[in-house]
């Protein structure tokens, strides 16, 4: 009798590969819809179309919504396509490829920190022609969270001090940076900044954040929708 | 010969009334589209539909975008339906009835301040089940701006100190408050808070902001898209 192990092992690998391919297909489809919805959002906030056109498009949107039936996740449920904490969040309003709200911010981990790049659209407008101050806070808060995770202490924001030096341009590549500067028990201190790619020496916005990295039991209590223990 | 004045005056009033009705129709259509797009955004971020459904909806969204042709406003142009500064912003990512990103926050002016109410959706999620810290910053930054305007000093954010005491629930009515506490030349100090309507005694998030109210010449230089002098 031959050992069943190699066979099972091969089957396990094939199943795993199939699961990975399915996850990839699902994420690609979510990102494709996110992309088209971001384009639709942009068109909707900058058009000067007539009321009849706007109502016609509104009816079309209603028909699209009706197609997204079937299983829907509950409020606190982590989507099956996500890695939480410390990984891909497909629907994050800041980084999510599937979020119509997100610029989205593309994040790269760096030593004890994170770098993000994005372009804000007219949908993110605060003062005419510039980004909303709250959007800058979202970018920094999010990237500081990534910096904490990179430093091995994924955490939640306790405080965030934002300083607005110059307005943030729309439709222009931005670079966001965040670095962990200090840790104190479960507390993590982080600094961050936003600049335009075309003039990185001129800082537009700076932030200082204090995050707290909860212990795993606390994380499970806070987020009952987690499918597995945080890594 | 009778004076043409009464006739002209009546014609002026009729033209004015027609213009107001047109503005009302345009705003209602913008709000209707905003409403349907917010529903579509919500459905898109909570569905677990198959890739083929997601791709079909993405194609549908692309067709809707193609219908929003014709005149589009330029980046720094204030929309004709808006009152800026200090009034209606139809596409504001926080208060705009026409913004698919906005909760939207409904603002009421109060003595030297402003009160806002809204419900965050899953699209605004940060930690699973709770609002993103940056969304709270958007709510407070925006409402503090309204508080400055109510106190007669519409301004732009210089700094914003956010403190996160407890997570902010999704899909639950929230109350946001902002008050001007002090002015110092063109500088305005504002405090703000977020609480759940069902437990107003428990503050979830607090903020302290410093705003600066620019002089009218500075406003015109910053916002060349303004159609008239700020009021």
């Amino acid at each position: 009798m031959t050992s069943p192990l190699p066979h099972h092992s091969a089957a396990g690998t094939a199943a795993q590969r199939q699961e990975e391919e399915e996850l990839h297909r699902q994420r690609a489809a979510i990102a494709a819809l996110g992309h088209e919805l971001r384009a639709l959002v942009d068109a909707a906030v900058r058009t000067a179309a007539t009321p009849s056109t706007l109502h016609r498009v509104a009816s079309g949107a209603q028909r699209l919504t009706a197609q997204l039936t079937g299983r829907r996740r509950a409020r606190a449920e982590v989507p099956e396509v996500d890695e939480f904490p410390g990984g891909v969040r497909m629907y994050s309003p800041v980084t999510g490829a599937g979020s119509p709200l997100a610029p989205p911010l593309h994040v790269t981990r760096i030593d004890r920190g994170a770098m993000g790049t994005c372009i804000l659209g007219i949908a993110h407008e605060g003062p005419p022609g510039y980004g909303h101050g709250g959007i800058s806070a979202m970018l920094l808060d999010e990237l500081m969270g990534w910096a904490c995770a990179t430093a091995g202490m994924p955490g939640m924001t306790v405080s965030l001090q934002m300083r607005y030096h110059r307005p943030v341009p729309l439709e222009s590549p931005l670079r966001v940076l965040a670095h962990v500067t200090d840790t104190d028990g479960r507390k993590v201190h982080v600094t961050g900044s936003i600049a335009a790619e075309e003039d990185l020496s001129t800082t537009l916005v700076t932030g200082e954040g204090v995050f707290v990295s909860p212990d795993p039991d606390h994380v499970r209590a806070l987020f009952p929708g987690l499918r597995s223990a945080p890594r």
Side-chain angles (χ1 to χ4, degrees), chain A:
Chain A
M1 195 173 110
T2 55
S3 158
L5 274 178
H7 176 69
H8 276 188
S9 172
T13 308
Q16 210 173 354
R17 201 162 48 228
Q18 198 189 336
E19 202 176 298
E20 268 167 31
E21 275 168 16
E22 245 163 59
L23 176 65
H24 178 78
R25 262 199 306 276
Q26 189 74 26
R27 282 185 178 168
I30 290 167
L33 177 55
H35 178 78
E36 293 304 338
L37 290 180
R38 285 189 289 274
L40 176 56
V41 164
D42 183 74
V45 301
R46 68 191 303 169
T47 186
T50 61
S52 71
T53 298
L54 297 175
H55 283 296
R56 196 175 63 234
V57 173
S59 300
Q62 200 172 27
R63 282 191 296 272
L64 291 183
T65 302
Q67 292 182 39
L68 294 169
T69 51
R71 213 184 81 68
R72 291 153 60 97
R73 66 188 165 109
R75 192 172 62 191
E77 185 185 344
V78 175
E80 282 176 20
V81 289
D82 275 11
E83 300 159 353
F84 176 82
V88 171
R89 305 279 314 274
M90 288 303 290
Y91 303 107
S92 158
V94 188
T95 61
S99 167
L101 280 57
L105 183 70
H106 299 281
V107 179
T108 313
R109 289 161 193 266
I110 54 179
D111 183 38
R112 288 179 75 76
M115 190 186 90
T117 54
C118 70
I119 295 177
L120 299 183
I122 289 198
H124 305 110
E125 187 178 69
Y130 300 110
H132 195 285
I135 296 282
S136 293
M138 283 191 77
L139 296 176
L140 281 180
D141 181 52
E142 176 72 25
L143 202 70
M144 286 177 177
W146 283 83
C148 292
T150 301
M153 297 185 74
M156 288 166 65
T157 325
V158 174
S159 71
L160 178 64
Q161 169 75 61
M162 297 288 301
R163 284 178 216 282
Y164 299 91
H165 306 287
R166 286 173 183 79
V168 173
L170 301 177
E171 303 189 329
S172 190
L174 301 176
R175 188 178 299 187
V176 192
L177 285 170
H179 284 98
V180 169
T181 53
D182 196 18
T183 60
D184 169 16
R186 294 198 165 274
K187 244 187 212 174
V188 189
H189 295 262
V190 198
T191 61
S193 63
I194 303 177
E197 285 280 0
E198 62 174 24
D199 180 12
L200 291 173
S201 63
T202 304
T203 302
L204 307 175
V205 180
T206 53
E208 282 170 52
V210 179
F211 285 66
V212 73
S213 186
D215 63 63
D217 285 350
H218 191 193
V219 170
R220 272 185 292 267
L222 273 176
F223 309 119
L226 280 183
R227 287 182 316 282
S228 57
R231 293 161 307 168

